Amino acid sequence: MIKDNKKATKNQRDLFLIIVLLLVAGGFFLFFQVFRTVEDASYAHVYYGPSSEPIVTIDFIKQEVNIINNQKVPNSYDQNYPIIDEAQKTITLLGDYEVNGRRQIIVIKYDFGHKTVQVIQEQSPNNICSKEGVSNGKPLICLPNRVRIEFESGANDPDFTV
Amino acid sequence: MILIANFLAIAIVLNLIESAFALSPIPGAKLGFANVISLIILYVYSFKDSSALTILRVILVGVLSGRLLGPTFYMSLSGAVFSIIAMGAFKKLNFFSIVGVSVIGSIFHVFGQIGAGIFVIGSTAIIYWMPVMLLLSIPAGVITGLIAKKFVALWDVWHHDVT
């Protein structure tokens, strides 16, 4: 009988825990949806790997794309990355995800007018970052490719040095 | 020992089946059905056996899926380690039932994954995924907890029959 009582209190605690966690996670979710996206971005930085130095910076104000660093690519790949196509408005990087032992490219499309960026081509198991669609402030993370795009709003950010 | 090896095999198969069907919108954030096995072992055997099984599972799944030492592998490993330690600790506290412990395990799995993700990608931008992952992980934890609860009850019945 005592054991049954104890079980019942434990189940109540479980329910309480689940409800509290759902509320906290839900609040968190709303908070991120409402407050944590960069509005009216001035720049979008494209990074590769864990580096804090971007490969490419898209400047929405001056309407230009600047290569900050070249990607270090093994000799077996006969291209230099990033490739910037000004006509198509795309940036092509070499991702980490391999198909048949070859690393795959990842193509990013930018739009100066709308200040948006979209990953239009990419190889990965779930294609999370290309399914994310057009972004105007939410970071795009292609984890298996280790490529990420982050937005920056301020015109003079002290952390940002070219 | 043989039983644990069998459980390990089941866990690996569950894990691989799950990665074949992308049920969740986020990589690495699966429903975690393989975690059912970790939870069962934690309750019917011990924390030691369960953590050994969990870590072996992650490594072997990494080998089998060809993602060993890749970015998502570190996230899986860190998530699994966080979750098993949290589940072990909360089981010892004896405050929640198996369902509560399972939910705690799954939220710690998210923390572990995000923590490793920050290192893998070198940016805290990955935290943007956390709210969605947490919201998904809670029902997933409840489901795995309920399955494990049913199994542990059955196990007790079998155990009584033998002795």
Side-chain angles (χ1 to χ4, degrees):
Chain A
M1 208 54 199
I2 296 161
K3 210 185 165 194
D4 278 353
N5 265 335
K6 208 174 169 203
K7 248 188 184 163
T9 45
K10 269 192 180 178
N11 284 339
Q12 275 176 0
R13 285 174 189 161
D14 280 359
L15 199 63
F16 184 69
L17 172 80
I18 292 161
I19 291 168
V20 168
L21 285 176
L22 275 175
L23 286 176
V24 169
F28 225 18
F29 181 73
L30 282 177
F31 175 76
F32 268 72
Q33 289 294 310
V34 177
F35 298 109
R36 287 304 301 273
T37 43
V38 176
E39 291 277 314
D40 198 29
S42 311
Y43 305 98
H45 305 294
V46 181
Y47 299 88
Y48 167 74
S51 167
S52 57
E53 279 268 290
I55 298 287
V56 178
T57 288
I58 304 160
D59 189 330
F60 293 121
I61 296 165
K62 290 185 194 150
Q63 307 225 328
E64 60 186 27
V65 177
N66 300 310
I67 298 178
I68 311 292
N69 288 296
N70 274 306
Q71 239 186 314
K72 287 182 187 71
V73 175
N75 288 331
S76 52
Y77 298 84
D78 50 2
Q79 265 284 3
N80 284 320
Y81 293 94
I83 304 165
I84 293 175
D85 185 334
E86 303 226 334
Q88 297 291 320
K89 299 207 182 303
T90 59
I91 302 163
T92 305
L93 261 73
L94 194 63
D96 261 7
Y97 193 72
E98 292 182 352
V99 175
N100 299 326
R102 295 286 292 180
R103 283 168 61 184
Q104 300 293 305
I105 56 163
I106 155 163
V107 183
I108 298 153
K109 193 170 175 65
Y110 56 88
D111 185 334
F112 289 135
H114 295 100
K115 300 186 177 182
T116 57
V117 177
Q118 182 186 10
V119 177
I120 54 171
Q121 187 194 329
E122 146 275 328
Q123 300 289 327
S124 64
N126 302 341
N127 301 104
I128 307 299
C129 66
S130 52
K131 278 184 194 158
E132 198 84 63
V134 179
S135 171
N136 63 350
K138 192 176 180 235
L140 297 170
I141 305 168
C142 307
L143 214 131
N145 282 304
R146 289 206 302 157
V147 170
R148 67 181 200 274
I149 304 155
E150 288 177 38
F151 291 82
E152 189 193 326
S153 55
N156 45 358
D157 189 80
D159 288 342
F160 182 65
T161 45
V162 179
Chain B
M1 203 55 169
I2 293 166
L3 255 176
I4 293 178
N6 276 320
F7 274 120
L8 176 60
I10 297 168
I12 290 168
V13 170
L14 281 174
N15 207 329
L16 287 175
I17 289 174
E18 211 180 21
S19 27
F21 300 99
L23 290 170
S24 107
I26 290 149
K30 303 191 204 81
L31 283 180
F33 283 123
N35 203 35
V36 172
I37 307 294
S38 302
L39 199 57
I40 290 168
I41 298 296
L42 181 65
Y43 272 82
V44 301
Y45 286 102
S46 67
F47 172 69
K48 233 183 184 170
D49 290 326
S50 179
S51 34
L53 176 134
T54 309
I55 291 164
L56 276 174
R57 183 197 87 209
V58 174
I59 294 170
L60 287 172
V61 168
V63 171
L64 289 169
S65 63
R67 291 190 201 133
L68 190 69
L69 306 182
T72 45
F73 170 78
Y74 290 113
M75 290 176 72
S76 307
L77 186 63
S78 149
V81 169
F82 265 67
S83 117
I84 194 68
I85 290 173
M87 291 198 297
F90 275 89
K91 186 196 170 236
K92 213 158 195 149
L93 270 181
N94 200 22
F95 190 74
F96 298 114
S97 85
I98 190 166
V99 181
V101 171
S102 168
V103 172
I104 286 166
S106 60
I107 63 165
F108 270 87
H109 191 251
V110 173
F111 293 152
Q113 282 183 326
I114 295 285
I118 289 171
F119 282 101
V120 165
I121 202 93
S123 157
T124 50
I126 200 159
I127 291 177
Y128 277 77
W129 284 352
M130 202 166 80
V132 188
M133 285 168 76
L134 280 176
L135 276 181
L136 287 172
S137 78
I138 295 165
V142 174
I143 295 166
T144 49
L146 289 173
I147 296 170
K149 191 180 189 175
K150 274 256 148 37
F151 188 93
V152 172
L154 275 176
W155 181 277
D156 287 343
V157 172
W158 296 337
H159 195 76
H160 280 295
D161 283 347
V162 172
T163 50

